[in-house]
């Protein structure tokens, strides 16, 4: 039983084709709670696609994905979304925040819409503030997304991904717009916070330093996931 | 659910959605208002028909009733409406005595006085022509609301001598629907066309506005939906939030539109710019109708809003649902139909005129389908020939927004329809008053005939009111032979030709070579004089006189029948053209039932218009539609300004000088609109020309064309100015480039 519960994210034989190209060709992986997995691969290899499948944003042509034991490939959009809301936190490439909400309100979204929805604004504030402090963006909590810097935006997105202590965190490192230093810092912060709350983490990165902080690194090429370190050892 | 509402509210008042929200709110309010007006129009028409019925005297047409005492009036069927300076006046005449409280009067006005409605009273004071109609009569009473169809109605009640022809006893007021009600099915068909035109002129801009607003806000809304979906909201939930956001704007806005309608209805008593008035009681809609209209408009906007945000993920390139060849075929068929209509009508007759509607429909549809592609071709050709960077970039940017092109071509269709409906309205109006005035002033003198059904007109009375007129009258002798009364000079005045061989003694008039009817040996003239040995009279050859004069005996005017001689006369009058209307009005003051005939001129005369209400309805619908459309354009301008300024910022970073930037910006912003505007003007002119070719009354002056070109240029300059300021601001704010 405990073994099963520890299996936070699992994917079996996931195949996805977009247009004419077969982006994922039977990719499989399992990530247990508290484990941090780095995902690497050349541009266009399908890393973002894989994260989208794991998050239930994209339904694979074949294969199965389950989060915390619940399959998200064999259910409808409602159930899939509910699972994502309750058990996953996402940090995606590109701007992710709603332009009309303040940073604090953006971060509080998973709490406000969650099944165990918290009652009032003050409740959410009590839960959000400490996380903002940890990410050092509490000073800009009342600002709108267009009034803050790119790095602050990314940290706000991270805060939103972990605010509800999800079972799994999926992060897609932006390849542009941020310098390596800031991005590395943000990813390290994410990994640290997720580890502290016992979440499983899959983080897409191009940065060896970030990869070094992961428990395990997988490489995506030709639609399949490989484990370079293990290969190296062998 | 609370979180949904919270988020919806935030997205409505948020910076990104604010502009769209304002336009949508104004649009929803206006559309609700327009819908309520559309609902109210048939109700008002019905109520006014009922009022008209209530004011109609019930007439006893039976022979036996002829000698009964009491109130008498004329057979209403003989009253032909004529407008005076654009005003339709309902004149009612009674003789004898009786209860007229149903007409809003305490008692019948005495002979020589007149009771008038408040609007007519004002008009008599301000309008000389209308004053001429009531020349020599004192206003003795004002008609109360009970006696009016609508508050601005021009109505008078006068007392006339009893014993005039066509007078019948009145046995009360208010006809009930029944077999004796006149059923006018010609108007029914016209009303359907008018309703269709009115609906299209409101619905088309409304749909356009909704489409613009929802499309413009769609990208940011779609993005919001994507983000929420990633957080873990199902598609249905994101849809619900979008719908709630739409509802937060459109529900209050529709309610405001509804409230506005009620305020307007209670304050305003006539359609602005027309004399189509209404009583508040007739126009106010029952609560359930208002509620349904308000809810329907809210729902429509909510759905449009929600659907705009529904599309998720990357947008698939739109499939061409109609191949280009077919699109061009639709347009050319439309144009060909329009051209063919005029030929067909000339060859076959006016019955094939309906093809013009198909032609207009296909041309409009084809324009929407083809115009964007044509503008793209223009832009390509332009870009190839461009010498400056500004022109190149401008002509490229001008077609980057497909939606702007689509909106532009829809507006072009509005222009085409507008020009077409002007022509149609001109036909309804029985001609255009500019056209009519031009036709009148081309002649120095205008002849017209007057028939007096009440037998009150005599030569002397006409000349007393219109001393400068040339006048000849025609009536039958006691034996039924036609006699023309007038001097040689009078006949010369009528024909504006010299009469060779006119002796001043009785002569038979002969026109051309036609053989004249044989004259009886003796005649009894109107004044009772007997003329004998008429058969040996020398014929008088006349040219350019009315055809009815052929074979008639010309005798001196002094033999003309006196008033009430029961020998009904036709008067041939010639006046100087500037005095035409005043002369008719003055003659109208002498007799209750004058019938004027201007011959072929009447066909083009807007004063004979029979459909003022239909015109007012189209006018009202067009003005509401115009405001809605203008609002849509304003929304489009605002959004284009924001988009364009972002692109220009990119250009600036590339190092373009400011002048090139302005050039690029101007072309990009208005190039497409100008192309579309010119194309639609040409097609609109084609439609107008087709109308003119099938009906000479469909005269459209150059004014609307000039107005549209001016509006196009004005709007273009405004767009460039507004967007340029916005662009400069964002270019100047170089530090504003964030993420
Ligand atoms: N919406 C789409 N429609 C069609 N093909 C797509 C779509 N999105 C991505 N692709 C294709 O799928 C492949 C994988 O894309 P993906 O975004 O997953 O790559 P990636 O590994 O994340 O690249 P990067 O490191 O640059 O972010 C690419 O070849 C891409 O062109
Ligand atoms: Mg990627």
């Amino acid at each position: 039983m405990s073994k099963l519960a520890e299996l936070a994210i699992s994917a079996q034989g996931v195949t996805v084709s977009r247009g004419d190209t077969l982006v994922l060709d039977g990719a499989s992986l399992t990530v247990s709670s508290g484990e941090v997995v780095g995902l690497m691969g050349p541009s266009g290899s399908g890393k973002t696609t894989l994260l989208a499948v794991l998050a239930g944003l994209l339904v694979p042509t074949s294969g199965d994905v389950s989060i915390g034991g619940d399959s998200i490939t064999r259910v409808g959009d409602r159930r899939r979304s509910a699972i994502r809301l309750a058990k996953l936190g996402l940090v995606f490439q590109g701007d992710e925040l709603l332009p009309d909400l303040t940073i604090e309100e953006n971060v509080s979204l998973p709490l406000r819409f969650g099944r165990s929805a918290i009652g009032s604004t003050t409740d959410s504030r009590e839960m959000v503030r400490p996380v903002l402090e940890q990410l050092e963006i509490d000073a800009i909590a009342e600002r709108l997304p267009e009034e803050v810097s790119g790095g602050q935006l990314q940290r706000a997105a991270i805060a939103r991904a972990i605010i509800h202590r999800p079972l799994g965190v999926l992060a897609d490192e932006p390849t542009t717009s941020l310098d390596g230093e800031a991005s590395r810092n943000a990813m390290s912060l994410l990994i640290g916070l997720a580890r502290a709350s016992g979440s499983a983490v899959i983080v897409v990165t191009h940065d060896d330093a970030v990869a070094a902080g992961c428990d395990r690194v997988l490489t995506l090429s030709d639609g399949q996931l490989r484990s370079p370190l293990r290969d190296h050892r062998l | 659910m609370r979180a949904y509402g919270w988020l919806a509210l935030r997205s409505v008042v948020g910076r990104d959605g604010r502009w769209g929200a304002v336009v949508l709110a104004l649009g929803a309010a206006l559309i609700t208002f327009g819908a309520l007006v559309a609902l109210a129009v048939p109700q008002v028409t019905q109520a006014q028909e009922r009022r008209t019925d209530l004011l109609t005297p019930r007439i006893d047409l039976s022979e036996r009733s002829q000698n009964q005492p009491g109130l008498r009036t004329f057979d209403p069927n003989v009253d032909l409406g004529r407008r005076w300076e654009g005003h339709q006046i309902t004149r009612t005449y009674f003789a004898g005595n009786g209860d007229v409280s149903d007409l809003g009067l305490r008692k019948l006005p005495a002979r020589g006085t007149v009771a008038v409605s408040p609007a007519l009273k004002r008009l008599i004071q301000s309008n000389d022509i209308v004053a001429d109609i009531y020349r020599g009569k004192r206003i003795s009473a004002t008609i109360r609301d009970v006696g009016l169809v609508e508050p601005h109605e021009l109505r008078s009640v006068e007392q006339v001598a009893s014993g005039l022809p066509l007078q019948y006893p009145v046995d009360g007021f208010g006809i009930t629907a029944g077999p004796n009600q006149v059923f006018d099915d010609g108007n029914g068909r016209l009303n359907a066309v008018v309703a269709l035109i009115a609906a299209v002129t409101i619905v088309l801009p409304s749909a356009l506005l909704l489409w613009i607003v929802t499309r413009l806000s769609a990208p940011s809304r779609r993005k919001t939906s994507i983000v929420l979906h990633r957080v873990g909201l199902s598609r249905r939930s994101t849809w619900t939030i979008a719908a709630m956001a739409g509802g937060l704007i459109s529900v209050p806005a529709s309610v405001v539109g509804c409230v506005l309608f009620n305020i307007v209805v209670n304050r305003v008593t006539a359609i602005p710019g027309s004399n189509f008035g209404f009583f508040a009681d007739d126009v106010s809609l029952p609560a359930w109708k208002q509620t349904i209209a308000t809810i329907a408009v809210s729902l429509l906007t909510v759905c449009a809003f929600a659907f705009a945000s529904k599309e998720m993920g990357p947008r698939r390139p739109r499939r061409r649902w109609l191949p280009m060849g077919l699109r061009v075929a639709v347009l050319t068929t439309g144009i060909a139909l329009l051209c063919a209509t005029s030929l067909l009508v000339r060859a076959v007759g006016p019955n094939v005129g309906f093809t013009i509607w198909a032609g207009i429909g296909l041309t409009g549809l084809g324009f929407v389908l083809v115009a964007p592609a044509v503008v793209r071709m223009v832009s390509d050709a332009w870009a190839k020939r461009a010498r400056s960077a500004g022109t190149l970039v401008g002509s490229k940017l001008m077609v980057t927004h497909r939606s702007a092109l689509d909106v532009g071509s829809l507006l072009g269709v509005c222009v085409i329809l507008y020009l077409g409906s002007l022509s149609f309205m001109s036909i309804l109006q029985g001609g255009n008053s500019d056209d009519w005035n031009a036709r009148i002033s081309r002649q120095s003198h205008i002849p017209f005939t007057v028939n007096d059904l009440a037998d009150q007109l005599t030569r002397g009375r006409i000349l007393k009111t219109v001393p400068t007129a040339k006048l000849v009258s025609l009536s039958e002798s006691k034996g039924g032979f036609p006699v023309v009364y007038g001097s040689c000079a009078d006949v010369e005045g009528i024909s504006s030709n010299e009469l060779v061989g006119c002796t001043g003694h009785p002569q038979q008039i002969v026109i051309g070579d036609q053989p004249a009817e044989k004259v009886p040996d003796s005649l009894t003239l109107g004044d009772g004089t007997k003329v004998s040995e008429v058969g040996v009279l020398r014929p008088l050859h006349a040219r350019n006189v009315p055809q009815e004069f052929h074979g008639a005996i010309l005798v001196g005017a002094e033999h003309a029948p006196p008033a009430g001689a029961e020998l009904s006369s036709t008067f041939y009058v010639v006046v100087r053209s500037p005095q035409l209307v005043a002369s008719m009005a003055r003659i109208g003051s002498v007799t209750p039932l004058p019938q004027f005939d201007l011959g072929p001129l009447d066909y083009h005369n807007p004063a004979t218009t029979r459909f003022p209400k239909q015109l007012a309805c189209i006018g009202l619908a067009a003005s509401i539609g115009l405001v809605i459309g203008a609002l849509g354009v304003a929304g489009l301008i605002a959004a284009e300004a924001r988009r364009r300024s972002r692109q220009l910022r990119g250009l600036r970073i590339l190092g373009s000088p400011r002048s090139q930037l302005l050039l690029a910006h101007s072309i990009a912003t208005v190039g497409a609109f100008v192309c579309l505007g010119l194309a639609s003007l040409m097609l609109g002119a084609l439609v107008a020309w087709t109308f003119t070719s099938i009906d000479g009354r469909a005269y459209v002056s150059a004014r609307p064309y000039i107005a549209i070109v001016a509006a196009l240029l004005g709007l273009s300059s405004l767009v460039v100015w507004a967007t340029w300021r916005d662009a400069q601001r964002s270019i100047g704010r170089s530090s504003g480039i964030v993420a």
Side-chain angles (χ1 to χ4, degrees), chain B residues 82 432-448 575-582 584 598-607:
Chain B
R82 175 174 286 272
N432 175 295
S433 54
D434 289 347
D435 178 42
W436 159 257
N437 287 334
R439 278 171 197 274
I440 292 297
S441 54
R442 245 177 264 146
Q443 291 164 257
S444 67
H445 289 78
I446 309 281
F448 64 93
V575 292
R576 290 194 31 244
S577 57
Q579 288 165 356
L580 174 69
V581 183
M584 293 197 293
L598 292 169
L601 271 177
D602 253 341
Y603 185 65
H604 296 274
N605 188 357

Side-chain angles (χ1 to χ4, degrees), chain A residues 77 81 84 96 105 119 146, chain B residues 10 15 229-230 232 235:
Chain A
D77 176 59
S81 298
R84 179 164 63 249
E96 272 290 278
E105 285 166 340
E146 62 178 27
Chain B
R10 294 305 298 264
R15 202 173 290 191
H229 190 57
R230 283 184 190 164
R235 282 182 187 171

Side-chain angles (χ1 to χ4, degrees), chain B residues 668-698:
Chain B
T669 313
V670 300
F673 279 97
V674 169
C675 286
L676 291 168
L678 292 180
S680 59
L681 266 182
M682 287 194 288
L683 286 178
L686 176 68
V687 171
W689 172 79
T690 309
F691 268 117
T692 317
S693 69
I694 63 172
D695 192 320
R697 294 168 297 176

Side-chain angles (χ1 to χ4, degrees), chain A:
Chain A
M1 185 68 203
S2 70
K3 188 83 182 154
L4 238 171
E6 272 181 6
L7 206 66
I9 303 168
S10 93
Q12 301 300 323
V14 171
T15 303
V16 174
S17 43
R18 301 192 106 168
D20 298 334
T21 51
L22 195 63
V23 180
L24 294 179
D25 185 11
S28 301
L29 95 163
T30 50
V31 185
S32 15
S33 294
E35 190 183 16
V36 178
V37 174
L39 190 58
M40 300 185 87
S43 184
S45 56
K47 303 182 293 293
T48 303
T49 306
L50 179 62
L51 282 202
V53 170
L54 295 178
L57 295 171
L58 197 66
V59 181
T61 349
S62 68
D64 188 36
V65 175
S66 18
I67 306 297
D70 297 326
S71 169
I72 58 166
T73 39
R74 284 194 282 265
V75 294
D77 176 59
R78 254 182 118 162
R79 178 90 191 104
R80 196 159 48 232
S81 298
I83 293 172
R84 179 164 63 249
L85 180 61
K87 299 186 176 176
L88 291 179
L90 271 57
V91 185
F92 256 65
Q93 288 172 325
D95 46 347
E96 272 290 278
L97 302 187
L98 296 183
D100 296 325
L101 302 186
T102 64
I103 297 295
E104 184 183 320
E105 285 166 340
N106 262 295
V107 170
S108 72
L109 282 178
L111 298 177
R112 288 178 191 259
F113 287 98
R115 191 165 291 272
S116 53
I118 40 142
S120 67
T121 323
T122 41
D123 289 347
S124 89
R125 177 167 297 214
E126 274 163 24
M127 294 178 73
V128 171
R129 279 287 163 168
V131 179
L132 294 186
E133 276 163 29
Q134 278 176 305
L135 285 160
E136 295 172 1
I137 46 173
D138 51 318
I140 53 154
E142 301 297 336
R143 293 207 205 156
L144 292 174
E146 62 178 27
E147 298 163 343
V148 306
S149 81
Q152 289 167 331
L153 272 185
Q154 204 189 15
R155 271 177 281 160
I158 290 171
R160 192 182 59 195
I162 59 166
I163 189 73
H164 53 309
R165 301 176 170 276
L167 199 60
V169 176
L170 308 175
D172 200 356
E173 177 193 64
T175 36
T176 51
S177 91
L178 274 185
D179 60 299
E181 179 77 17
S183 179
R184 194 178 308 147
N185 284 345
M187 282 301 148
S188 308
L189 259 174
L190 169 69
I191 291 171
L193 286 169
R195 240 191 241 288
S197 64
S199 305
V201 181
I202 300 179
V203 53
V204 170
T205 181
H206 300 84
D207 193 326
D208 290 333
V210 175
C214 298
D215 299 330
R216 181 153 69 96
V217 174
L218 296 173
T219 313
L220 191 59
S221 61
D222 301 326
Q224 311 239 316
L225 281 167
R226 290 169 227 283
S227 177
L229 284 177
R230 204 172 297 161
D231 287 349
H232 184 67
R233 247 175 261 153
L234 284 168

Side-chain angles (χ1 to χ4, degrees), chain B residues 3-297:
Chain B
Y4 286 28
W6 166 76
L7 199 57
L9 184 64
R10 294 305 298 264
S11 80
V12 167
V13 298
R15 202 173 290 191
D16 248 24
R18 210 178 291 164
W19 244 108
V22 170
V23 175
L24 181 70
L26 284 173
L30 264 177
I31 293 171
T32 311
F33 186 80
L36 290 174
V37 168
L39 281 179
V41 166
Q43 184 181 308
V44 172
T45 316
Q46 265 168 24
Q48 297 196 341
E49 267 164 22
R50 202 180 54 239
R51 282 179 191 274
T52 309
D53 286 350
L54 286 176
L55 294 176
T56 306
R58 271 197 310 273
I59 287 181
D60 190 350
L61 286 172
S62 60
E63 285 290 323
R64 147 190 72 76
S65 65
Q66 276 304 312
N67 298 318
Q68 282 170 9
L71 199 61
R72 290 169 167 271
T73 193
F74 294 107
D75 180 350
N77 291 322
V78 301
D79 181 34
L80 292 180
R82 175 174 286 272
R83 287 153 71 80
W84 300 98
E85 305 259 277
H87 304 288
Q88 178 101 45
I89 303 173
T90 310
R91 300 175 72 181
T92 44
Y93 305 92
F94 295 95
N97 50 54
D99 179 17
V100 286
S101 57
D102 287 344
L103 301 181
L105 288 171
R106 214 168 298 131
K107 61 178 183 20
L108 206 59
R111 284 293 297 276
T113 69
V114 56
V116 295
S117 65
L120 181 56
K121 192 174 194 170
R122 287 192 296 273
L123 194 63
I124 288 174
Q125 280 154 6
S126 64
N127 187 308
D128 290 342
I129 297 287
V130 177
D132 272 342
I133 301 175
Y134 294 96
R135 225 161 159 250
K137 293 185 181 106
R138 194 172 55 82
I139 295 173
S140 62
T142 307
I143 301 174
R144 277 174 284 125
D145 282 357
V146 181
L148 298 177
V149 173
E150 43 100 353
H152 299 274
E153 196 189 9
L154 303 171
R155 181 182 275 268
S156 67
V157 175
E158 292 164 59
Q159 166 123 224
V160 290
S162 58
L164 299 184
L166 299 168
Q167 277 182 349
Y168 299 96
V170 174
D171 71 9
F173 292 92
I175 52 167
T176 43
N180 64 339
Q181 204 174 21
V182 186
F183 179 68
D184 191 355
D185 67 338
N187 267 12
R189 200 166 139 195
L190 176 70
N191 284 341
V193 172
V194 167
L196 190 73
I197 291 179
V200 168
T201 45
I202 290 186
V203 167
L204 201 66
S206 302
L208 203 67
L209 175 83
L210 272 185
W211 190 71
I212 289 174
V213 171
T214 50
R215 277 287 126 185
L216 290 180
S217 59
S220 73
R221 252 160 239 299
R222 222 174 285 137
K223 201 184 119 193
T224 301
S225 291
I226 291 171
V227 170
L228 289 176
H229 190 57
R230 283 184 190 164
V231 167
L233 267 65
S234 67
R235 282 182 187 171
R236 191 188 292 188
S237 306
T238 60
W239 198 82
T240 309
I241 289 174
M244 283 172 93
L248 277 174
I249 305 168
S250 65
V251 173
S254 305
V255 170
V256 167
C258 184
V259 170
L260 190 73
F261 173 80
N262 284 296
I263 292 176
V264 166
V265 153
N266 281 308
R267 291 273 164 84
V268 177
T269 51
I271 294 177
S274 81
N275 34 35
F276 179 45
F278 41 80
F279 285 114
D281 282 349
D282 295 345
V283 77
S284 58
L285 289 169
W288 67 269
K289 275 191 187 171
Q290 296 197 23
T291 314
I292 286 179
T294 310
I295 290 176
V297 174

Side-chain angles (χ1 to χ4, degrees), chain B residues 5 7 84 112 144 150 215 324 365 395 439 441 461 476 511 547 560 577 619 632 634 640 642 666 671 693 705:
Chain B
L7 199 57
W84 300 98
R144 277 174 284 125
E150 43 100 353
R215 277 287 126 185
M324 204 52 192
L365 184 66
S395 55
R439 278 171 197 274
S441 54
R461 284 183 181 164
E476 292 185 342
I511 302 175
Q547 193 60 41
S577 57
E640 284 291 291
R642 308 185 77 210
S666 314
S693 69
Y705 293 90

